[in-house]
Amino acid sequence: ARALAGGPTGGWSRSAAAPYLAVAGLVACAAGAFSLAGGRLASRRRAVALFAIALADLLLFTADQSSLAPIYSSALAQPNAISSSLARVTGPDGRYVVVDAARAGGTDLDELGAPDLDVLSRQMSAQGYGSLAWAPYARATGTHGQDLASPAAIAGDTFDDLDVTALLVTRASFEVPVAAQGAGARGAGAAVRLARGAATTRYFGGSEPVTSVRLAPVVGGEVGRRALVRLAKSLRLVGGHGQLLASAASQVSVESGAVTARFEVPGGASGVRLDDPLTMSALLVRVTVGLSGGRHFSPTGPLAVAASAPHWRLDGSIGPYAVLHDTRAKGRYRVEGGTGVKVHELARSPWVATETVAVVARERFTLVRSVADVPGWSARLVSGRTSTDVAVRRDGLVQSLALPAGRYEVTFVYTPPGLAAGLLASAAGAAGLLVLAATAVARARRRRAR
């Protein structure tokens, strides 16, 4: 679908889907031929042809869900290198988000498991999955699949509230090939906005063999030559864990109003940091990164601004993904408006939506829980033999509770809205089927008796 729409696709995606699409095309042609010429066949041959097409389609679907799938379902319940590395980054409570619209991660992305399969790996994703995602949540986070997220949510505090500690990204979200920028390269849209008097960091989405960084002011900007040279000399490359590489530019040259800093970095770099001289009067600069293979790109992709320091910090890599750590993640539980409050999780079930925490508080406070306030959540406070319901309020996307002082336990329970009505309707439907079946059997017996 992305290829037909002119969107990004990875080589792995095309090669994996090609056999499936080829056979599906044959089934579609057969169905089309049957629609056009099936009426000319005898009734028995027509039934056989229709059955064969339906059977082929069913077998194709079954094969794609099992034999041709890149990851077997049995493997998802076993630890693998990708999930084990991710667990070390997120810890026991943190969540993760993957941004890989082109599926460049290939089978590594499948080894993480789709968000609704995280129950097997015991790891928590902040992404939705199709119709399972709550509409307000999907709109606010931009997560409607395993590999999508909104840049605005990443740049803001949405994922901080949801305790997302790891963001897995690829180069496609950070790098824009210079040849693909076109007219945009001459405008502010392809430029890097510098923070006056502060450092501006742009990540690459992976380690690259950088040989040069070219800086050019946006057309119409008033940047002095000396200030631009100072900017190039103060430029530093960023390593794979967010650290500044020791080597400065080995050579700085000026040509056609732009300055080029050349580097010798054997191990590659994962980002660039620009320290704005206080004397600069323009804050928009076009940045072009040159690589040893002759490729050039601009660090102005959709996540280049959203996922930047100091909010997001490089934390190495996992398989084909660079890992960004959210330095502002607020934790699974946070306390507001109280002192001396202790909250400790007692139990959590991966299969049933329940969770219990123990609370010790000297005064009244507000407990914020980093779980989406989807309709259906309720909370009950238990102190000794006393049990009372507590109102669950919405704080942005997550849950908030006003709790009293004391020592007690709070249990969160999720009951899907409309569950009772759904069960009743299902029971009525099953009963109706039984009545129809009994009626059919009775009629058949009467016919045989006659």
Side-chain angles (χ1 to χ4, degrees), residues 252-268:
V252 175
S253 58
V254 182
E255 52 181 321
S256 303
V259 175
T260 300
R262 305 191 182 279
F263 293 87
E264 297 178 3
V265 187

Side-chain angles (χ1 to χ4, degrees), residues 209-286:
V210 178
T211 58
S212 66
V213 177
R214 184 176 185 270
L215 307 176
V218 174
V219 174
E222 300 177 359
V223 179
R225 174 180 172 181
R226 292 182 179 180
L228 200 59
V229 170
R230 283 198 299 270
L231 178 62
K233 289 182 177 180
S234 66
L235 185 150
R236 292 291 183 273
L237 296 179
V238 178
H241 286 274
Q243 78 281 13
L244 294 179
L245 299 180
S247 58
S250 60
Q251 179 185 354
V252 175
S253 58
V254 182
E255 52 181 321
S256 303
V259 175
T260 300
R262 305 191 182 279
F263 293 87
E264 297 178 3
V265 187
S270 298
V272 60
R273 192 183 82 166
L274 300 168
D275 292 298
D276 173 39
L278 294 175
T279 56
M280 292 187 66
S281 56
L283 301 179
L284 290 175
V285 178
R286 294 195 299 273

Side-chain angles (χ1 to χ4, degrees), residues 59-400:
L59 291 176
L60 175 64
F61 174 81
T62 304
D64 182 58
Q65 296 298 312
S66 56
S67 302
L68 299 183
I71 297 297
Y72 290 96
S73 58
S74 59
L76 294 176
Q78 304 297 325
N80 56 63
I82 298 293
S83 61
S84 299
S85 299
L86 180 61
R88 289 192 291 270
V89 174
T90 60
D93 294 328
R95 295 183 175 88
Y96 71 94
V97 167
V98 180
V99 181
D100 183 11
R103 293 188 65 85
T107 55
D108 289 330
L109 179 61
D110 291 275
E111 286 185 356
L112 290 174
D116 59 337
L117 296 178
D118 289 334
V119 67
L120 299 176
S121 63
R122 303 293 180 93
Q123 291 174 325
M124 294 183 291
S125 169
Q127 289 170 294
Y129 189 73
S131 60
L132 298 182
W134 180 41
Y137 184 93
R139 286 193 297 268
T141 61
T143 59
H144 194 65
Q146 184 182 8
D147 45 18
L148 303 173
S150 165
I154 293 174
D157 59 1
T158 300
F159 289 121
D160 303 343
D161 292 338
L162 293 169
D163 195 30
V164 171
T165 57
L167 178 65
L168 277 60
V169 298
T170 62
R171 294 173 176 85
S173 299
F174 290 80
E175 302 176 1
V176 177
V178 170
Q181 290 183 13
R186 295 189 293 272
V192 174
R193 179 176 295 276
L194 304 183
R196 181 178 293 275
T200 300
T201 301
R202 288 293 179 91
Y203 297 127
F204 301 157
S207 180
E208 299 283 19
V210 178
T211 58
S212 66
V213 177
R214 184 176 185 270
L215 307 176
V218 174
V219 174
E222 300 177 359
V223 179
R225 174 180 172 181
R226 292 182 179 180
L228 200 59
V229 170
R230 283 198 299 270
L231 178 62
K233 289 182 177 180
S234 66
L235 185 150
R236 292 291 183 273
L237 296 179
V238 178
H241 286 274
Q243 78 281 13
L244 294 179
L245 299 180
S247 58
S250 60
Q251 179 185 354
V252 175
S253 58
V254 182
E255 52 181 321
S256 303
V259 175
T260 300
R262 305 191 182 279
F263 293 87
E264 297 178 3
V265 187
S270 298
V272 60
R273 192 183 82 166
L274 300 168
D275 292 298
D276 173 39
L278 294 175
T279 56
M280 292 187 66
S281 56
L283 301 179
L284 290 175
V285 178
R286 294 195 299 273
V287 179
T288 304
V289 180
L291 307 181
S292 59
R295 186 169 66 92
H296 294 78
F297 69 87
S298 172
T300 55
L303 292 188
V305 179
S308 60
H311 186 177
W312 296 92
R313 185 188 70 232
L314 269 173
D315 197 11
S317 61
I318 295 177
Y321 299 105
V323 180
L324 298 177
H325 176 73
D326 188 356
T327 61
R328 302 177 188 172
K330 299 179 180 179
R332 189 166 182 83
Y333 298 96
R334 71 176 187 271
V335 175
E336 295 181 353
T339 58
V341 179
K342 296 181 179 180
V343 179
H344 174 67
E345 185 177 274
L346 296 178
R348 183 198 313 172
S349 172
W351 299 101
V352 182
T354 61
E355 192 167 306
T356 301
V357 296
V359 176
V360 178
R362 301 176 185 173
E363 56 186 4
R364 295 182 59 85
F365 70 100
T366 299
L367 178 65
V368 181
R369 179 176 178 243
S370 66
V371 174
D373 188 36
V374 181
W377 278 104
S378 61
R380 178 167 288 270
L381 187 153
V382 178
S383 179
R385 296 183 178 180
T386 304
S387 177
T388 56
D389 292 331
V390 181
V392 178
R393 300 182 178 88
R394 187 171 302 170
D395 186 349
L397 280 182
V398 296
Q399 301 170 11
S400 174

